[in-house]
Amino acid sequence: MRAIILLGAPGAGKGTLADGIKAASRFQHVATGDMLRAALKQGTPVGREAEAFMKRGELVPDEVIFKLVEARIAAGGGDDGFMFDGFPRTLAQAERLDALLAAHGGKVDHVFLLEAPRALLLSRLTGRRVCRGCGAVYHVVNIPPRRAGLCDACGGELYQRADDQEATIANRLDVYERQTAPLIAYYDRQGVLTRVDAARERQESVAAILAAATDRGR
Ligand code: AMP
């Protein structure tokens, strides 16, 4: 079972890139942030446990994340395998993922690191708006909806994520540097890391990733 990871700071564009990759491939998308927001909305025990951490821009404890991810891996991947987005975020998560994949006869094949300067991350995060209905992502300047405040796809209301407020953003970027950035060296050592300029056109990055990570383009 093939597995790829989209790694990068909040605001680097992992989710947007994942949408482009999904549209052109058969990866099973595993986005722990989306799973947690869904759990929170539904008021499940996992959602209640995660809420305070997410509001502060801190990481949800590894054990909570493991439960979510283990269930998703057990449910099986797509024809192209798994695409992890926003996971792993700590060394303990990376090690657990290696063990889980090994148990299913797989491994991490590629890690795509989206690199962006802090100023770009900040402007992307503060301007991000999300559809309450379908989860589509917009930006007030870069990807504005056709009608202000409303989703082009489903007409739903656009809102700003609680953790995209400026006070929380600074904490999320610090948490990334402290807890997630060490994964760069971890995957570099394994020889699976590819750097992607987060400012590049999305379609170019999608094509490059698909050529590297699937049988297409070979
Ligand atoms: P994201 O949508 O990926 O930016 O995630 C939003 C928030 O969910 C993060 O700030 C964390 O509080 C939590 N979260 C998402 N994925 C993880 C993870 N792999 N480990 C710990 N916390 C996570």
Side-chain angles (χ1 to χ4, degrees), residues 88-172:
R89 261 175 151 105
T90 62
L91 276 175
Q93 291 182 15
E95 285 164 1
R96 179 68 73 101
L97 178 62
D98 284 346
L100 282 172
L101 290 172
H104 289 80
K107 63 179 174 58
V108 172
D109 296 283
H110 294 278
V111 177
F112 298 97
L113 171 66
L114 271 75
E115 294 184 299
R118 194 173 172 106
L120 180 64
L121 301 174
L122 282 172
S123 77
R124 282 188 175 171
L125 289 168
T126 50
R128 174 158 67 184
R129 299 292 181 273
V130 184
C131 174
R132 257 189 222 293
C134 69
V137 178
Y138 296 85
H139 186 280
V140 288
V141 178
N142 306 338
I143 322 170
R146 282 196 292 273
R147 287 174 299 160
L150 296 177
C151 177
D152 294 347
C154 75
E157 180 204 357
L158 303 187
Y159 77 106
Q160 183 173 35
R161 276 171 47 175
D163 59 354
D164 279 346
Q165 320 278 340
E166 270 193 74
T168 316
I169 287 175
N171 195 30
R172 289 167 66 206

Side-chain angles (χ1 to χ4, degrees), residues 32-33 36-37 54 58-60 65 86 89 93 161 172:
T32 44
L36 289 168
R37 277 184 291 279
M54 294 175 75
E58 281 161 23
L59 295 186
V60 173
I65 301 292
R89 261 175 151 105
Q93 291 182 15
R161 276 171 47 175
R172 289 167 66 206

